[in-house]
Amino acid sequence: MPRAILHVDLDAFYASVEQRDRPELRGKPVIVGGHPTRGVVVAASYEARPFGVRSAMPMAQAVRRAPQAIVVPPRFEAYVAASERVFAIFESVTPLVEPLSLDEAFLDVGGSVRLFGPPAEIARRIRGRIAAEVGLTASAGIAAVKFVAKIASDLAKPNGQLEVPADETVAFLAPLPVGRLWGVGPKTEAVLRALGLRTIGDIAATDPARLERRLGIAGRELWELSRGIDEREVVPDRQARSVGAEDTFEEDLSGMEALRPRIHSQALRVGRRLRRAGLRARAVQLKVKFGDFRLVTRRTTLEEPTDDGQTIYRAALGLLERLAPLQPVRLTGVAGQEVTAEAGQLGLFAAGPRPADRLNAALDRLADRFGRAAVTTADLAEADADEDPDRPRRP
């Protein structure tokens, strides 16, 4: 039986959260970003996109293209809160959920068909719940292959879904441009075009040995993808023996001041997820992907297992400071590794709950009752303001 893989992607996520929370913004062009004359666009609503506004565009250029657009500063804690509600919906359908960022994931729903119906019906159920419970729209792609499901969800946007039956995969891919394939950036696309290959169907019809001579092992991989051959599984955190959180930024970030609150937010999310699962982590890993797609990971072992987000943050921040990234960064991730359900070795005399444990329990109760943004830290509140010069600052 063919695999049943969904790629679910929230539509214009950051901008949609702003429109959800501020009804006066609905139906209007919205740009999420910094000051209108500096910084870059973090996200643009669908109403702003016909004017040519895109993420990572300089704000001054975006405002010139869409002078009637409403500019709002990012609120990252609000986006994290919405993301966690969406992922809870995913996990209610299948345990096989592979997060890609705050707003998208792969789901293997092959084992859920008996409970919830065909994959297309599962996708409709998920999208309906996201709309009803979180107030956002999502698009979904359904396929037997991960990257085909991703392409399908892109083509279904906004607020739609597209299913590609397994036996129609090659025909579906054939007319698409080569840039749709995983691993094809501007340089590889130029090589393929020099070979006369402009569509995925052109690659599928080519002798793979020819591609290998020009591109090495990557040439064989592209040929296999063009034929719908991709055995990569959906890999949830639990299979990796770690609990993590990572984000791909809408714009590359530079400097420690920009990166610290992102690492802090990720570490706090890891701590919450560990506590929710009754787990502790012995090691912390930091992942950094640069603007040129170079990936670096660093890891440290803690003195004792922890589920405390602040402890995880201090460890991750130490790794970041030693790395001292000088290039722009497009992704960061924090993970608790060597995960265990044991609370650690007990001392001779039993100790009561630590202050951090009591604080975390209280914060978890507040978050469960009033939402993620009910209590936050100063640096995350400042990150949410993101260059807004009119927002009052703490003394």
Side-chain angles (χ1 to χ4, degrees):
M1 178 180 177
R3 290 186 298 170
I5 295 175
L6 309 185
H7 178 265
V8 184
D9 193 359
L10 296 167
D11 299 321
F13 178 50
Y14 292 0
S16 294
V17 171
E18 299 301 334
Q19 291 177 317
R20 180 199 66 182
D21 293 349
R22 295 177 58 185
E24 71 274 15
L25 300 180
R26 294 172 189 170
K28 297 180 181 179
V30 173
I31 299 173
V32 181
H35 190 273
T37 60
R38 55 192 173 92
V40 299
V41 175
V42 175
S45 70
Y46 281 102
E47 294 85 357
R49 295 183 185 187
F51 298 97
V53 179
R54 297 288 184 271
S55 62
M57 174 182 289
M59 283 294 298
Q61 181 181 351
V63 171
R64 283 197 303 271
R65 291 191 177 191
Q68 69 275 57
I70 301 169
V71 178
V72 298
R75 298 180 300 128
F76 289 102
E77 277 296 286
Y79 311 145
V80 170
S83 174
E84 293 200 348
R85 293 177 66 189
V86 169
F87 273 80
I89 293 172
F90 294 161
E91 291 163 358
S92 72
V93 172
T94 174
L96 301 178
V97 178
E98 180 179 343
L100 299 180
S101 64
L102 279 179
D103 59 344
E104 62 177 321
F106 286 114
L107 292 73
D108 187 334
V109 298
S112 305
V113 169
R114 288 186 178 181
L115 285 175
F116 302 114
E121 178 57 34
I122 293 174
R124 277 190 288 270
R125 175 192 293 263
I126 288 172
R127 293 174 52 239
R129 287 189 59 190
I130 291 171
E133 299 174 23
V134 192
L136 300 172
T137 64
S139 298
I142 307 118
V145 175
K146 287 173 75 173
F147 91 96
V148 176
K150 170 73 167 100
I151 292 174
S153 72
D154 288 343
L155 295 178
K157 283 184 168 294
N159 195 24
Q161 65 182 62
L162 176 61
E163 182 173 14
V164 181
D167 59 359
E168 298 177 18
T169 298
V170 176
F172 168 76
L173 293 172
L176 300 177
V178 294
R180 285 282 187 179
L181 286 176
W182 278 351
V184 176
K187 292 182 180 179
T188 302
E189 184 171 359
V191 173
L192 294 171
R193 286 185 171 275
L195 294 173
L197 307 175
R198 287 174 169 73
T199 67
I200 295 177
D202 292 339
I203 295 176
T206 300
D207 182 352
R210 180 187 181 211
L211 294 170
E212 286 187 273
R213 286 194 295 271
R214 290 299 302 271
L215 296 170
I217 191 172
R220 166 68 66 167
E221 292 173 351
L222 292 179
W223 182 83
E224 290 180 349
L225 289 177
S226 75
R227 305 289 301 176
I229 302 169
D230 180 15
E231 298 301 321
R232 281 172 281 198
E233 303 285 344
V234 173
V235 182
D237 280 342
R238 69 186 65 187
Q239 288 188 347
R241 296 292 297 165
S242 68
V243 174
E246 66 180 49
D247 300 308
T248 300
F249 309 127
E250 294 283 350
E251 58 170 296
D252 292 352
L253 299 180
S254 298
M256 292 293 292
E257 290 303 314
L259 292 173
R260 281 193 192 100
R262 308 309 194 269
I263 299 297
H264 198 175
S265 174
Q266 291 162 358
L268 294 178
R269 284 151 58 193
V270 170
R272 286 194 292 267
R273 291 171 183 174
L274 286 168
R275 293 193 297 275
R276 195 164 56 206
L279 300 171
R280 294 181 183 240
R282 164 68 72 177
V284 172
Q285 177 179 278
L286 173 71
K287 178 194 294 187
V288 176
K289 182 180 286 186
F290 294 98
D292 60 3
F293 290 87
R294 181 169 57 92
L295 181 65
V296 175
T297 61
R298 295 291 185 270
R299 186 174 185 272
T300 186
T301 300
L302 304 173
E303 292 184 1
E304 61 180 20
T306 188
D307 60 8
D308 177 50
Q310 297 293 358
T311 301
I312 294 168
Y313 169 59
R314 287 192 291 271
L317 182 61
L319 295 171
L320 181 69
E321 290 172 340
R322 288 197 290 275
L323 182 62
L326 300 177
Q327 299 178 31
V329 172
R330 66 179 284 110
L331 174 150
T332 61
V334 175
Q337 298 187 330
E338 296 185 27
V339 172
T340 176
E342 297 178 359
Q345 183 175 347
L346 295 176
L348 179 61
F349 300 101
R354 296 172 298 178
D357 294 334
R358 291 194 295 268
L359 175 61
N360 285 329
L363 293 176
D364 290 343
R365 287 193 297 271
L366 286 171
D368 289 342
R369 184 173 181 182
F370 299 109
R372 275 273 86 72
V375 180
T376 188
T377 57
D379 62 335
L380 297 184
E382 294 295 337
D384 285 347
D386 190 58
E387 297 186 287
D388 180 4
D390 298 322
R391 172 163 175 151
R393 301 291 178 174
R394 291 176 178 80

